[in-house]
Amino acid sequence: MPRYAQLVMGPAGSGKSTYCSTMVQHAESLNRSVQVVNLDPAAEYFNYPVMADIRELIQVDDVMEDDSLRFGPNGGLVFCMEYFANNFDWLEESLGHVEDDYILFDCPGQIELYTHLPVMRQLVEQLQQWEFRVCGVFLVDSQFMVESFKFISGVMAALSAMVTLEIPQVNIMTKMDLLGPKAKKEIEKYLDPDMYSMMEDNSECFRSKKFKKLNKAICGLIDDYSMVRFLPFDRTDEEGVNIVLQNIDFSIQYGEDLEVKEPKEVDEEQPNLNYDDIFQDKVSS
């Protein structure tokens, strides 16, 4: 039987550890077994049990304290991840060989790991050799995405990870529970964006004549291929969390030996879910 994995990615502070903790609690309520592996060698705290912790293999602080290396925080983290890539046998031993595993990999926040460094691609290929079906889960902070130029930056980061890893990817806007009603309404247009409409935005990003052609080309790339959409993630909304999990399960066909199911659509009459069809067709692959 296949095994299943989520690579939980995103910039520092985007809510990766909170996402993992919420998913573990939600899975328990569904009587599902979900395990977490910490792959952040700089992690200081997380409030969920782990089946494996990369800090048992290598830690950023130890690398930075090595006078022969003289790395700072970012260089130290890249060194740790490259060391990890050369020691996948540690991960294989930690994971064991249990069929039907469902594992969340809580990844570091350095964006270069998902853009131009080969480490995460090597991890994906190794997991696939171990018969894992892997889905990328790319998180962005909803509080960061409320302006068009910031949104485009987040979209390009998500798109870069998608192109680099070549696996199904679900993009998520986190911390929706921290937004007020007005901000939630405002952010709806960013969940399933119409990039050409954003060209009419009055932000400085689109007023600049110098970069107008570049901005138009970027918006066209995103819009023409329709590759990046977002699901809202409110950790206090059990139904919303379940919809996110259903979309991810669908992308890796979790439980397909029982019955293949389409992701659940939102009932517009449900309370606390007034996003108007934003959950439909959100899986990017």
Side-chain angles (χ1 to χ4, degrees):
M1 293 180 64
R3 306 160 80 185
Y4 306 91
Q6 295 183 27
L7 287 189
V8 183
M9 308 172 288
S14 59
K16 296 183 292 296
S17 294
T18 300
Y19 169 88
C20 290
S21 177
T22 303
M23 277 298 174
V24 168
Q25 295 174 23
H26 181 71
E28 289 177 352
S29 70
L30 300 176
N31 294 318
R32 282 178 54 174
S33 176
V34 172
Q35 305 288 335
V36 183
V37 172
N38 173 48
L39 290 185
D40 186 355
E44 297 181 355
Y45 171 78
F46 40 78
N47 59 346
Y48 52 78
V50 294
M51 68 180 303
D53 187 344
I54 194 175
R55 296 177 301 176
E56 298 173 358
L57 177 69
I58 190 169
Q59 297 188 42
V60 168
D61 289 344
D62 293 338
V63 172
M64 292 173 59
E65 291 171 2
D66 190 327
D67 292 335
S68 65
L69 297 175
R70 297 183 180 180
F71 282 125
N74 288 335
L77 187 137
V78 171
F79 178 89
C80 288
M81 296 307 293
E82 290 176 342
Y83 182 85
F84 165 65
N86 291 321
N87 291 273
F88 281 145
D89 54 336
W90 167 84
L91 181 61
E92 183 178 18
E93 182 179 347
S94 299
L95 296 180
H97 298 278
V98 179
E99 291 185 349
D100 207 31
D101 272 348
Y102 199 116
I103 300 174
L104 311 183
F105 291 89
D106 189 355
C107 301
Q110 270 63 17
I111 201 67
E112 59 264 33
L113 295 173
Y114 318 109
T115 55
H116 59 278
L117 294 178
V119 175
M120 301 308 294
R121 177 64 179 263
Q122 292 168 355
L123 173 61
V124 167
E125 293 173 349
Q126 186 63 72
L127 289 174
Q128 290 172 339
Q129 289 181 23
W130 295 335
E131 299 184 344
F132 276 93
R133 295 180 182 177
V134 187
C135 176
V137 181
F138 196 91
L139 310 185
V140 293
D141 186 342
S142 60
Q143 299 176 96
F144 173 80
M145 302 286 274
V146 293
E147 295 180 83
S148 296
F149 68 95
K150 293 180 181 178
F151 172 77
I152 291 176
S153 176
V155 167
M156 294 303 290
L159 183 59
S160 179
M162 191 184 305
V163 171
T164 300
L165 300 182
E166 294 184 329
I167 55 176
Q169 183 165 305
V170 175
N171 303 304
I172 296 174
M173 280 197 190
T174 59
K175 306 182 183 180
M176 295 292 289
D177 49 299
L178 301 182
L179 299 179
K182 183 178 179 180
K184 283 185 179 180
K185 187 66 177 177
E186 177 67 21
I187 211 169
E188 285 185 13
K189 65 181 179 181
Y190 296 110
L191 294 168
D192 191 1
D194 180 349
M195 300 306 299
Y196 288 110
S197 293
M198 287 189 184
M199 292 291 294
E200 306 301 322
D201 193 296
N202 290 323
S203 70
E204 186 64 32
C205 176
F206 295 101
R207 287 205 303 265
S208 172
K209 293 182 179 179
K210 183 177 181 180
F211 295 102
K212 185 176 181 179
K213 289 185 178 180
L214 174 62
N215 293 332
K216 184 176 181 180
I218 292 174
C219 289
L221 172 68
I222 297 169
D223 198 89
D224 290 347
Y225 286 89
S226 299
M227 295 180 69
V228 180
R229 296 183 176 89
F230 292 91
L231 286 171
F233 189 80
D234 179 343
R235 64 189 181 95
T236 66
D237 178 8
E238 196 75 14
E239 181 65 19
V241 172
N242 193 51
I243 290 170
V244 169
L245 181 59
Q246 284 183 345
N247 277 270
I248 296 170
D249 286 349
F250 176 72
S251 72
I252 53 179
Q253 290 298 284
Y254 173 76
E256 67 171 3
D257 52 323
L258 300 176
E259 181 182 359
V260 178
K261 296 182 178 180
E262 294 283 346
K264 183 178 179 180
E265 295 183 0
V266 173
D267 182 351
E268 293 183 356
E269 295 182 358
Q270 285 183 336
N272 302 322
L273 288 173
N274 56 353
Y275 298 111
D276 297 332
D277 299 326
I278 54 176
F279 296 116
Q280 297 179 19
D281 301 324
K282 296 296 184 184
V283 177
S284 299
S285 57

